Amino acid sequence: MRNYKLTIAYDGSRYQGWQRQATTDNTIQYIMEWSLGRIVGYRVQVDGSGRTDSGVHARGQVASVKLSGLYDPAELKAALNRYLPEDIRVLKVELVKNNFHARKSAKGKKYEYYIDCREKPDVFSRRYCYHYPEKLDIEAMRDAVKYLIGVKNFASFTDNKETNDTVRRIYNIKIVRSGEKVRITYYGSGFLYHMVRILTGTLIEIGTGRRDASKLPVVIAAEDRSLAGFLAPARGLFLRKVYY
């Protein structure tokens, strides 16, 4: 068996997230497996670096798959892109060592969240930004970052009540304004279900003065989802890069 690493971009607008589901075929993972199966002639399992929610996009999702034959990476990439719909694209195919696994080998991830603060949403980016027509205090939001950096229990920032492993490391959060648009970039060891979107909602509440940044340590210590901010919409979120 040969192991292949796939770097994938997709517009998640019309999909039910990355992960294969029993109730629908409309997921990125299923479509990737179906497309690869058409090429190699048998069912395959494609493992992603992690799940992206319904409506979330990716510029640099990574997946791994083991195939029985030896394929030229460039030819495999071209063949895959012929089968895939226009809103899913394989950017790169690499032959890697057999012990590589897209999720288990990952060391960190980078997510980007886009906010449009103008009165009316931008015509061309409205599907890829959260339209929030209020002025945000960027400096207050940046001041909040210091409370989120490091190894912490982020139980207050996830909607998954089943997991007991809620400790994650955030390396950095960068907040940049460009005109009336704001980009928040998250760098971390990994992220919990809805974690980036809840962090974004919390930072937006700080930016509008509805929440005091200095109270974040209390929110973190409480391990109580109800004390954190709202869940920002999926359409503004992109998985930008996976680090190995």
Side-chain angles (χ1 to χ4, degrees), residues 128-243:
Y128 311 106
C129 282
Y130 173 33
H131 180 233
Y132 194 84
E134 291 191 38
K135 182 177 176 60
L136 295 177
D137 184 340
I138 298 300
E139 290 308 315
M141 294 168 71
R142 287 172 177 161
D143 186 57
V145 167
K146 63 177 179 285
Y147 298 109
L148 300 171
I149 297 296
V151 178
K152 301 181 188 299
N153 188 328
F154 285 99
S156 294
F157 296 87
T158 180
D159 287 320
N160 186 351
K161 298 177 182 178
E162 306 300 320
T163 182
N164 295 317
D165 178 18
T166 50
V167 175
R168 295 292 186 275
R169 177 191 291 274
I170 292 182
Y171 298 111
N172 199 5
I173 300 173
K174 294 182 180 179
I175 304 172
V176 177
R177 189 205 303 272
S178 178
E180 294 183 87
K181 291 186 178 179
V182 175
R183 183 183 75 243
I184 307 176
T185 306
Y186 298 87
Y187 302 84
S189 61
F191 296 90
L192 300 163
Y193 178 60
H194 284 168
M195 179 174 162
V196 174
R197 292 166 60 191
I198 296 169
L199 285 168
T200 299
T202 304
L203 288 171
I204 288 174
E205 290 178 2
I206 290 168
T208 57
R210 294 181 174 87
R211 179 182 292 271
D212 185 348
S214 66
K215 300 295 194 299
L216 279 178
V218 176
V219 175
I220 294 169
E223 300 180 20
D224 183 348
R225 168 68 185 96
S226 68
L227 298 183
F230 70 94
L231 178 68
R235 64 181 173 273
L237 182 59
F238 288 76
L239 172 56
R240 188 68 178 85
K241 188 172 184 179
V242 184
Y243 297 96

Side-chain angles (χ1 to χ4, degrees), residues 31-188:
I31 293 168
M32 289 297 305
E33 291 176 341
W34 179 87
S35 301
L36 265 169
R38 291 289 300 274
I39 294 167
V40 302
Y42 53 87
R43 293 183 65 178
V44 300
Q45 178 174 318
V46 175
D47 295 305
S49 69
R51 307 171 184 178
T52 51
D53 301 337
S54 175
V56 173
H57 318 290
R59 298 182 188 273
Q61 172 68 288
V62 174
S64 54
V65 59
K66 291 189 175 180
L67 304 175
S68 61
L70 178 61
Y71 295 87
D72 177 80
E75 292 178 3
L76 184 58
K77 172 188 166 185
L80 264 171
N81 284 330
R82 282 195 293 271
Y83 282 110
L84 290 169
E86 291 184 347
D87 49 7
I88 305 175
R89 190 63 58 233
V90 175
L91 304 177
K92 190 175 185 181
V93 175
E94 302 167 76
L95 183 62
V96 292
K97 293 180 179 179
N98 276 341
N99 62 355
F100 175 83
H101 188 281
R103 178 177 55 81
K104 296 175 183 177
S105 302
K107 302 299 183 186
K109 292 180 182 174
K110 173 183 176 181
Y111 279 92
E112 293 175 338
Y113 196 96
Y114 293 86
I115 305 165
D116 182 358
C117 296
R118 69 188 74 200
E119 183 181 356
K120 297 294 183 181
D122 178 73
V123 170
F124 299 105
S125 65
R126 68 192 187 281
R127 292 174 62 185
Y128 311 106
C129 282
Y130 173 33
H131 180 233
Y132 194 84
E134 291 191 38
K135 182 177 176 60
L136 295 177
D137 184 340
I138 298 300
E139 290 308 315
M141 294 168 71
R142 287 172 177 161
D143 186 57
V145 167
K146 63 177 179 285
Y147 298 109
L148 300 171
I149 297 296
V151 178
K152 301 181 188 299
N153 188 328
F154 285 99
S156 294
F157 296 87
T158 180
D159 287 320
N160 186 351
K161 298 177 182 178
E162 306 300 320
T163 182
N164 295 317
D165 178 18
T166 50
V167 175
R168 295 292 186 275
R169 177 191 291 274
I170 292 182
Y171 298 111
N172 199 5
I173 300 173
K174 294 182 180 179
I175 304 172
V176 177
R177 189 205 303 272
S178 178
E180 294 183 87
K181 291 186 178 179
V182 175
R183 183 183 75 243
I184 307 176
T185 306
Y186 298 87
Y187 302 84

